[in-house]
Amino acid sequence: MLTLAGRRLAASIPSLLIILVGMFLLLQLAPGDTVDALMAQMGGGGDAQLTAELRAFYGLDLSVPARLLNYLWRLVQLDLGFSSIYGKPVATVILERLPATLCLMTASLSFAFFFGLLFGVIAARRVNGWQDTVISTLGLVFYATPSFWFGLMAIVLFSVHLQWLPAGGMESIGEGFTGIHRVLDIASHFVLPTLTLGLIFLAIYLRIMRASMLEVLTLDFVRTARAKGLDETRVITRHVLRNAMLPMVTLIGLQAGTMLGGSVVVESVFSLPGLGRLAYEAVVQRDLNTLLGIVFISALLVILVNFCVDLLYARLDPRIAKETGG
Amino acid sequence: MSAILSIEGLTVALPKGADRPHALDDVTLELRAGEILCVVGESGSGKSMTASAILRLLPDNVALTSGRILFEGKDLAAANEAEMRAIRGAGIAMIFQEPMTALNPLRPVGDQIGEMFSIHTDLSSAEIEARTLALLEDVRIPDPRLALRAYPHELSGGQRQRAMIAMALALSPRVLIADEPTTALDVTTQAQILSLIRDLQRRLGTAVLFITHDFGVVAEIADRVAVMQHGVVVEEGEAAAVLNAPQHAYTKALISAVPPLAAPPPRPFSAEAILKLEGISKTYRTGGFLGRNKRVTRAVRDVSLALPRGGTLGIVGESGSGKSTLARCIMRLIKPDTGAIRLDGTDLATQSPAQHRASARRMQMVFQDPYASLNPRRRVGELVAQGPIIHGTPRDTAMARARELFALVGLDPAATDRYPHEFSGGQRQRIGIARALALEPEVLVADEPVSALDVSVQAQVLKLLAKLRERLGLSIILITHDLRVAVQVCDLVAVMKDGEVVESGPIGRVFEAPEHPYTQSLLAAVPGRGFHPAH
């Protein structure tokens, strides 16, 4: 088990390197750099000498390979660099924004996983019945609807018309909530973003779960379980569920990246101060250091999620642990 | 003796559009206390459906329409779900055919056996564990304490089937239904499981309803026999009476299709070898990223054999003996590590891929599973003509040739534009043979060509192979686990164990006077070896 974990982690280092180098080189292709953006903010102007000095100050006058090596060397020392736009170290900027994104992702993932599982099981139990039809149709609707539209409509309905939930932001500023009130306040801000981001994934999980349940239900050991005299509920909970969950667990790992991407849209719609919005701002302002920092952290997050999924999978399926763990 | 389970006029309807209206038609059977009743029939005879109907575990679209199933005075056909659940496992237990898939792969074996007690009794978990261990000891699983915690994939097929039997016998059921429990097992394992079932049945006095297609097994284990065809019981009686003096024409046909375990008189064949294997070895290495978890399996070790022109060489062995790996090496589907494969003097093992493609047509293969080995999305005529077309034959000529081949293997030439699913298993295997013959090979390698087929169909396909051998001057390598099949068509036989050929020679000599202890034990394990049907 431990060797499996170690091997998986070691295997992720090359992918991390490839992502970073690729991203760095890709960004060189984009027109303009931080200094151009800074100059533009200062009102344009063509002071060539100031521009050159700024470039030298930020180390932008070096050749591309030199800058890449510099960057990687600093990264080894766990230094993500300095954001010229925010005037703070990149690590600080990212750490300020990370909680919102992590909260959003965890909440959406749990929401999508739990309800995807539940509805998938219900749909499979009542296959071709009205429950199945309703669930499958709704699933298709969720899957086919763009999440920004969902978010906007949710704001219109729940925030503007019904005024049940806040329209955006992470917490109510100026109310001075503390303790449990603050937690509840933040939670209420996260309800709509979580639903918006989670619904698409819920639709995917529910379809996978339904298909996988239907397949497992035809397997021989389910017949064995029935021949033992188990009732249908216990056949499902004790024999079918865990087997049917395996494809879904794999999917979570694969979709961690997609979910991060989706959070850019959702954070923008609900003006949540998260990584996604930070990335957007960094691109607009040509803040290369911040952008690379975000890519690095995102890649780490995805690798971490996949790592957890691998471990979970090995726990769920003893056959895997034996094959690779020795 | 009184009947413990009696089925009276049981009729089960199939959904509309099936090939017949009833899966079971007015089936009446009686299982008496302490006896083994064998229900025999070919696929589609309704024998497994009978078992499912007794436990009321029928597929969704199939329904009991009339009849009674009396178990200890209670009519199961009219019982509700809760009553049925109390009987399943506790009163009537069942063992299934596929030990590989009949256990949940994600839960330990002991846990799954113990579930029997947790469903039907109020025993404490410590008591359940003790009882489970005792059961595993009863079914003579090696190292029962380890088996208790083992997952199904950690046990062999035979051990899993023992675990299944332990599970079925957990609550000392009055009736045990065994649905082809040994069909998926090797012949020596099959013999052990059969004797285990018989021992336990004698000791516990359980009545066993044993479903099988194999008259050898029937001869081995049955007290009474019921023969089914198309959902109807055509003959029922004492085992000795049915086996030795069958009344119904279908029973007679089935029994005469059981090949005898004695070699026919030797056939003349050329002394010249068309194919020579010299010191073939193949080793599989798995794992091995930075040398971790390396597992080395020596699948084939230094095998040297010769196939005479126009002769048939049988390669016999149990699963894991390396016989299929050897076949793949011969076909160059995998590359042997060492050794030479000489086809008329040309060494195939060292050929380049291009040379290999050119010589591929001289040697063709017939595969085991006629259901999986034909592409379901293409017409069968195209499948047969594909090989010649790749090798440059014009399409029209190849299709015409395919029609001729269909006639040759005993199929309707007009059927070439149908799809594989429209054919039965035996017909599909004929298509597989036609496909192999399309390239006019000199050597045919048949990997378990009949093991997925019913006995009567087996006999037909083997007869076809023998006819083609005469007619086209083919030389055949026949790989099989079934000694009865080998003895019917082979001139020479090689017995493989753990990748090595332990004995080889003319089939008559090997079968009548086996020299190697393994060959002797294989022959001793053949079910019903004492049963010689009158032909």
PDB file of all heavy atoms in Angstrom, chain A residues 112 116 138-144 198-208:
ATOM      1  N   ALA A 112     -22.249  16.645  -5.813  1.00  0.00           N
ATOM      2  CA  ALA A 112     -22.440  15.887  -7.050  1.00  0.00           C
ATOM      3  C   ALA A 112     -22.303  14.392  -6.787  1.00  0.00           C
ATOM      4  O   ALA A 112     -23.092  13.585  -7.282  1.00  0.00           O
ATOM      5  CB  ALA A 112     -21.431  16.334  -8.105  1.00  0.00           C
ATOM      6  N   GLY A 116     -25.500  12.243  -7.089  1.00  0.00           N
ATOM      7  CA  GLY A 116     -25.323  11.428  -8.290  1.00  0.00           C
ATOM      8  C   GLY A 116     -25.486   9.958  -7.955  1.00  0.00           C
ATOM      9  O   GLY A 116     -26.186   9.196  -8.640  1.00  0.00           O
ATOM     10  N   LEU A 138     -34.025  14.999 -16.193  1.00  0.00           N
ATOM     11  CA  LEU A 138     -33.434  16.113 -15.463  1.00  0.00           C
ATOM     12  C   LEU A 138     -31.921  16.104 -15.621  1.00  0.00           C
ATOM     13  O   LEU A 138     -31.295  17.147 -15.809  1.00  0.00           O
ATOM     14  CB  LEU A 138     -33.800  16.017 -13.982  1.00  0.00           C
ATOM     15  CG  LEU A 138     -35.158  16.616 -13.615  1.00  0.00           C
ATOM     16  CD1 LEU A 138     -35.379  16.522 -12.124  1.00  0.00           C
ATOM     17  CD2 LEU A 138     -35.233  18.070 -14.080  1.00  0.00           C
ATOM     18  N   GLY A 139     -31.339  14.898 -15.553  1.00  0.00           N
ATOM     19  CA  GLY A 139     -29.894  14.771 -15.719  1.00  0.00           C
ATOM     20  C   GLY A 139     -29.443  15.354 -17.038  1.00  0.00           C
ATOM     21  O   GLY A 139     -28.478  16.113 -17.108  1.00  0.00           O
ATOM     22  N   LEU A 140     -30.195  15.028 -18.088  1.00  0.00           N
ATOM     23  CA  LEU A 140     -29.848  15.524 -19.416  1.00  0.00           C
ATOM     24  C   LEU A 140     -29.954  17.046 -19.464  1.00  0.00           C
ATOM     25  O   LEU A 140     -29.098  17.730 -20.036  1.00  0.00           O
ATOM     26  CB  LEU A 140     -30.776  14.880 -20.450  1.00  0.00           C
ATOM     27  CG  LEU A 140     -30.298  14.993 -21.885  1.00  0.00           C
ATOM     28  CD1 LEU A 140     -28.979  14.259 -22.057  1.00  0.00           C
ATOM     29  CD2 LEU A 140     -31.344  14.438 -22.837  1.00  0.00           C
ATOM     30  N   VAL A 141     -31.009  17.581 -18.828  1.00  0.00           N
ATOM     31  CA  VAL A 141     -31.201  19.036 -18.809  1.00  0.00           C
ATOM     32  C   VAL A 141     -30.020  19.705 -18.102  1.00  0.00           C
ATOM     33  O   VAL A 141     -29.429  20.659 -18.606  1.00  0.00           O
ATOM     34  CB  VAL A 141     -32.526  19.394 -18.098  1.00  0.00           C
ATOM     35  CG1 VAL A 141     -32.602  20.896 -17.835  1.00  0.00           C
ATOM     36  CG2 VAL A 141     -33.706  18.936 -18.929  1.00  0.00           C
ATOM     37  N   PHE A 142     -29.645  19.174 -16.930  1.00  0.00           N
ATOM     38  CA  PHE A 142     -28.508  19.751 -16.192  1.00  0.00           C
ATOM     39  C   PHE A 142     -27.246  19.692 -17.014  1.00  0.00           C
ATOM     40  O   PHE A 142     -26.445  20.607 -17.030  1.00  0.00           O
ATOM     41  CB  PHE A 142     -28.269  18.982 -14.886  1.00  0.00           C
ATOM     42  CG  PHE A 142     -29.378  19.136 -13.895  1.00  0.00           C
ATOM     43  CD1 PHE A 142     -29.616  18.169 -12.941  1.00  0.00           C
ATOM     44  CD2 PHE A 142     -30.186  20.267 -13.913  1.00  0.00           C
ATOM     45  CE1 PHE A 142     -30.635  18.311 -12.036  1.00  0.00           C
ATOM     46  CE2 PHE A 142     -31.204  20.416 -12.999  1.00  0.00           C
ATOM     47  CZ  PHE A 142     -31.433  19.438 -12.063  1.00  0.00           C
ATOM     48  N   TYR A 143     -27.090  18.544 -17.693  1.00  0.00           N
ATOM     49  CA  TYR A 143     -25.849  18.358 -18.437  1.00  0.00           C
ATOM     50  C   TYR A 143     -25.772  19.305 -19.624  1.00  0.00           C
ATOM     51  O   TYR A 143     -24.712  19.785 -19.978  1.00  0.00           O
ATOM     52  CB  TYR A 143     -25.763  16.899 -18.924  1.00  0.00           C
ATOM     53  CG  TYR A 143     -24.445  16.576 -19.546  1.00  0.00           C
ATOM     54  CD1 TYR A 143     -23.284  16.574 -18.776  1.00  0.00           C
ATOM     55  CD2 TYR A 143     -24.335  16.301 -20.893  1.00  0.00           C
ATOM     56  CE1 TYR A 143     -22.061  16.306 -19.333  1.00  0.00           C
ATOM     57  CE2 TYR A 143     -23.111  16.028 -21.463  1.00  0.00           C
ATOM     58  CZ  TYR A 143     -21.981  16.034 -20.672  1.00  0.00           C
ATOM     59  OH  TYR A 143     -20.766  15.769 -21.232  1.00  0.00           O
ATOM     60  N   ALA A 144     -26.930  19.561 -20.236  1.00  0.00           N
ATOM     61  CA  ALA A 144     -26.935  20.335 -21.464  1.00  0.00           C
ATOM     62  C   ALA A 144     -26.945  21.841 -21.211  1.00  0.00           C
ATOM     63  O   ALA A 144     -26.682  22.627 -22.113  1.00  0.00           O
ATOM     64  CB  ALA A 144     -28.142  19.947 -22.321  1.00  0.00           C
ATOM     65  N   GLY A 198     -21.983  22.146  -9.298  1.00  0.00           N
ATOM     66  CA  GLY A 198     -22.165  20.715  -9.050  1.00  0.00           C
ATOM     67  C   GLY A 198     -23.163  20.033  -9.968  1.00  0.00           C
ATOM     68  O   GLY A 198     -23.044  18.841 -10.238  1.00  0.00           O
ATOM     69  N   LEU A 199     -24.137  20.789 -10.484  1.00  0.00           N
ATOM     70  CA  LEU A 199     -25.224  20.133 -11.223  1.00  0.00           C
ATOM     71  C   LEU A 199     -24.739  19.365 -12.445  1.00  0.00           C
ATOM     72  O   LEU A 199     -25.186  18.252 -12.708  1.00  0.00           O
ATOM     73  CB  LEU A 199     -26.273  21.169 -11.642  1.00  0.00           C
ATOM     74  CG  LEU A 199     -27.293  21.480 -10.543  1.00  0.00           C
ATOM     75  CD1 LEU A 199     -28.288  22.525 -11.021  1.00  0.00           C
ATOM     76  CD2 LEU A 199     -28.032  20.228 -10.113  1.00  0.00           C
ATOM     77  N   ILE A 200     -23.804  19.957 -13.182  1.00  0.00           N
ATOM     78  CA  ILE A 200     -23.296  19.275 -14.379  1.00  0.00           C
ATOM     79  C   ILE A 200     -22.630  17.967 -13.979  1.00  0.00           C
ATOM     80  O   ILE A 200     -22.838  16.912 -14.598  1.00  0.00           O
ATOM     81  CB  ILE A 200     -22.298  20.188 -15.123  1.00  0.00           C
ATOM     82  CG1 ILE A 200     -23.073  21.020 -16.136  1.00  0.00           C
ATOM     83  CG2 ILE A 200     -21.220  19.381 -15.811  1.00  0.00           C
ATOM     84  CD1 ILE A 200     -22.219  21.730 -17.122  1.00  0.00           C
ATOM     85  N   PHE A 201     -21.832  18.019 -12.897  1.00  0.00           N
ATOM     86  CA  PHE A 201     -21.132  16.813 -12.473  1.00  0.00           C
ATOM     87  C   PHE A 201     -22.114  15.792 -11.904  1.00  0.00           C
ATOM     88  O   PHE A 201     -21.969  14.598 -12.096  1.00  0.00           O
ATOM     89  CB  PHE A 201     -20.044  17.173 -11.469  1.00  0.00           C
ATOM     90  CG  PHE A 201     -18.957  17.989 -12.096  1.00  0.00           C
ATOM     91  CD1 PHE A 201     -19.004  19.372 -12.064  1.00  0.00           C
ATOM     92  CD2 PHE A 201     -17.934  17.375 -12.780  1.00  0.00           C
ATOM     93  CE1 PHE A 201     -18.031  20.124 -12.685  1.00  0.00           C
ATOM     94  CE2 PHE A 201     -16.948  18.114 -13.400  1.00  0.00           C
ATOM     95  CZ  PHE A 201     -16.999  19.497 -13.355  1.00  0.00           C
ATOM     96  N   LEU A 202     -23.130  16.314 -11.227  1.00  0.00           N
ATOM     97  CA  LEU A 202     -24.175  15.416 -10.735  1.00  0.00           C
ATOM     98  C   LEU A 202     -24.789  14.638 -11.887  1.00  0.00           C
ATOM     99  O   LEU A 202     -24.969  13.428 -11.822  1.00  0.00           O
ATOM    100  CB  LEU A 202     -25.253  16.232 -10.017  1.00  0.00           C
ATOM    101  CG  LEU A 202     -26.413  15.462  -9.405  1.00  0.00           C
ATOM    102  CD1 LEU A 202     -26.826  16.139  -8.124  1.00  0.00           C
ATOM    103  CD2 LEU A 202     -27.611  15.349 -10.322  1.00  0.00           C
ATOM    104  N   ALA A 203     -25.057  15.362 -12.984  1.00  0.00           N
ATOM    105  CA  ALA A 203     -25.670  14.699 -14.140  1.00  0.00           C
ATOM    106  C   ALA A 203     -24.766  13.603 -14.671  1.00  0.00           C
ATOM    107  O   ALA A 203     -25.217  12.500 -14.993  1.00  0.00           O
ATOM    108  CB  ALA A 203     -25.956  15.730 -15.225  1.00  0.00           C
ATOM    109  N   ILE A 204     -23.450  13.897 -14.730  1.00  0.00           N
ATOM    110  CA  ILE A 204     -22.520  12.887 -15.249  1.00  0.00           C
ATOM    111  C   ILE A 204     -22.470  11.685 -14.311  1.00  0.00           C
ATOM    112  O   ILE A 204     -22.590  10.539 -14.735  1.00  0.00           O
ATOM    113  CB  ILE A 204     -21.116  13.494 -15.414  1.00  0.00           C
ATOM    114  CG1 ILE A 204     -21.154  14.608 -16.452  1.00  0.00           C
ATOM    115  CG2 ILE A 204     -20.124  12.423 -15.815  1.00  0.00           C
ATOM    116  CD1 ILE A 204     -19.878  15.401 -16.530  1.00  0.00           C
ATOM    117  N   TYR A 205     -22.304  11.967 -13.013  1.00  0.00           N
ATOM    118  CA  TYR A 205     -22.186  10.875 -12.048  1.00  0.00           C
ATOM    119  C   TYR A 205     -23.436  10.013 -12.042  1.00  0.00           C
ATOM    120  O   TYR A 205     -23.376   8.794 -11.892  1.00  0.00           O
ATOM    121  CB  TYR A 205     -21.930  11.421 -10.635  1.00  0.00           C
ATOM    122  CG  TYR A 205     -20.587  12.083 -10.489  1.00  0.00           C
ATOM    123  CD1 TYR A 205     -20.339  13.006  -9.491  1.00  0.00           C
ATOM    124  CD2 TYR A 205     -19.560  11.776 -11.370  1.00  0.00           C
ATOM    125  CE1 TYR A 205     -19.104  13.614  -9.370  1.00  0.00           C
ATOM    126  CE2 TYR A 205     -18.325  12.380 -11.258  1.00  0.00           C
ATOM    127  CZ  TYR A 205     -18.110  13.306 -10.257  1.00  0.00           C
ATOM    128  OH  TYR A 205     -16.888  13.905 -10.153  1.00  0.00           O
ATOM    129  N   LEU A 206     -24.579  10.658 -12.164  1.00  0.00           N
ATOM    130  CA  LEU A 206     -25.812   9.870 -12.079  1.00  0.00           C
ATOM    131  C   LEU A 206     -25.940   8.944 -13.278  1.00  0.00           C
ATOM    132  O   LEU A 206     -26.364   7.796 -13.144  1.00  0.00           O
ATOM    133  CB  LEU A 206     -27.028  10.797 -11.897  1.00  0.00           C
ATOM    134  CG  LEU A 206     -28.069  11.027 -12.960  1.00  0.00           C
ATOM    135  CD1 LEU A 206     -29.048   9.867 -12.999  1.00  0.00           C
ATOM    136  CD2 LEU A 206     -28.838  12.289 -12.640  1.00  0.00           C
ATOM    137  N   ARG A 207     -25.502   9.422 -14.437  1.00  0.00           N
ATOM    138  CA  ARG A 207     -25.575   8.546 -15.612  1.00  0.00           C
ATOM    139  C   ARG A 207     -24.593   7.375 -15.490  1.00  0.00           C
ATOM    140  O   ARG A 207     -24.911   6.239 -15.810  1.00  0.00           O
ATOM    141  CB  ARG A 207     -25.273   9.337 -16.892  1.00  0.00           C
ATOM    142  CG  ARG A 207     -26.407  10.252 -17.256  1.00  0.00           C
ATOM    143  CD  ARG A 207     -26.619  10.320 -18.751  1.00  0.00           C
ATOM    144  NE  ARG A 207     -27.121   9.083 -19.324  1.00  0.00           N
ATOM    145  CZ  ARG A 207     -28.393   8.819 -19.514  1.00  0.00           C
ATOM    146  NH1 ARG A 207     -29.308   9.684 -19.165  1.00  0.00           N
ATOM    147  NH2 ARG A 207     -28.764   7.688 -20.066  1.00  0.00           N
ATOM    148  N   ILE A 208     -23.385   7.683 -15.024  1.00  0.00           N
ATOM    149  CA  ILE A 208     -22.386   6.626 -14.850  1.00  0.00           C
ATOM    150  C   ILE A 208     -22.882   5.609 -13.822  1.00  0.00           C
ATOM    151  O   ILE A 208     -22.816   4.397 -14.027  1.00  0.00           O
ATOM    152  CB  ILE A 208     -21.049   7.217 -14.361  1.00  0.00           C
ATOM    153  CG1 ILE A 208     -20.479   8.144 -15.406  1.00  0.00           C
ATOM    154  CG2 ILE A 208     -20.066   6.126 -14.011  1.00  0.00           C
ATOM    155  CD1 ILE A 208     -19.937   7.460 -16.615  1.00  0.00           C
TER     156      ILE A 208
END
